[in-house]
Amino acid sequence: MSQFDDLLVKYKEELGGTRDVSGVDETLLTAITKALGPSIYNDDSSRVSCSDKTELDRVKNNFLIGKMGLADGPDLDAALKEVCEQMGSANRNKYRAIFYYLLVKKLGLEAKYA
């Protein structure tokens, strides 16, 4: 398998747990991961730090507003907070592809990757 395929397997396992990945939209996860380009291979840029406000602002401005075309507002901040909570504060590996996947699902933006 390629390095990309290995990462997709890791992301699917992280999303669905190692027992059941049937609930994961593989097509959407693949599209989001491909859109992230080479950043998924860099240890630092492949992760999101929920404790870093600058990082969350970057995700909001570059991904949600810039790429997804959403208007800034409290709903974006709430979605970021919910995804951070969903991934858990003890989870040190908040992979960017998974983080974006959960944001897209939470905000109902799947059609943007169709």
Side-chain angles (χ1 to χ4, degrees):
M1 276 205 281
S2 71
Q3 190 176 6
F4 181 84
D5 292 331
D6 291 342
L7 285 172
L8 276 178
V9 168
K10 181 192 316 185
Y11 297 158
K12 281 187 267 187
E13 288 175 353
E14 181 87 18
L15 271 168
T18 54
R19 287 173 263 116
D20 178 23
V21 293
S22 62
V24 176
D25 183 342
E26 292 183 40
T27 305
L28 178 62
L29 180 61
T30 301
I32 290 171
T33 305
K34 280 184 182 177
L36 287 169
S39 69
I40 62 172
Y41 304 110
N42 180 291
D43 199 41
D44 184 48
S45 64
S46 68
R47 293 178 172 91
V48 173
S49 172
C50 286
S51 61
D52 183 355
K53 178 156 174 33
T54 305
E55 172 76 9
L56 293 178
D57 287 343
R58 190 176 308 117
V59 170
K60 181 170 74 168
N61 291 321
N62 294 349
F63 179 66
L64 294 176
I65 296 171
K67 182 162 179 74
M68 303 310 285
L70 300 174
D72 194 4
D75 54 327
L76 298 185
D77 293 321
L80 288 166
K81 183 179 178 188
E82 287 176 37
V83 169
C84 284
E85 289 171 358
Q86 183 177 356
M87 294 188 82
S89 60
N91 180 359
R92 296 184 52 95
N93 293 316
K94 292 179 183 75
Y95 295 107
R96 189 170 301 278
I98 295 172
F99 197 87
Y100 286 14
Y101 173 89
L102 293 172
L103 279 172
V104 166
K105 294 292 266 184
K106 181 166 292 307
L107 295 170
L109 301 170
E110 295 90 343
K112 299 259 185 183
Y113 283 96

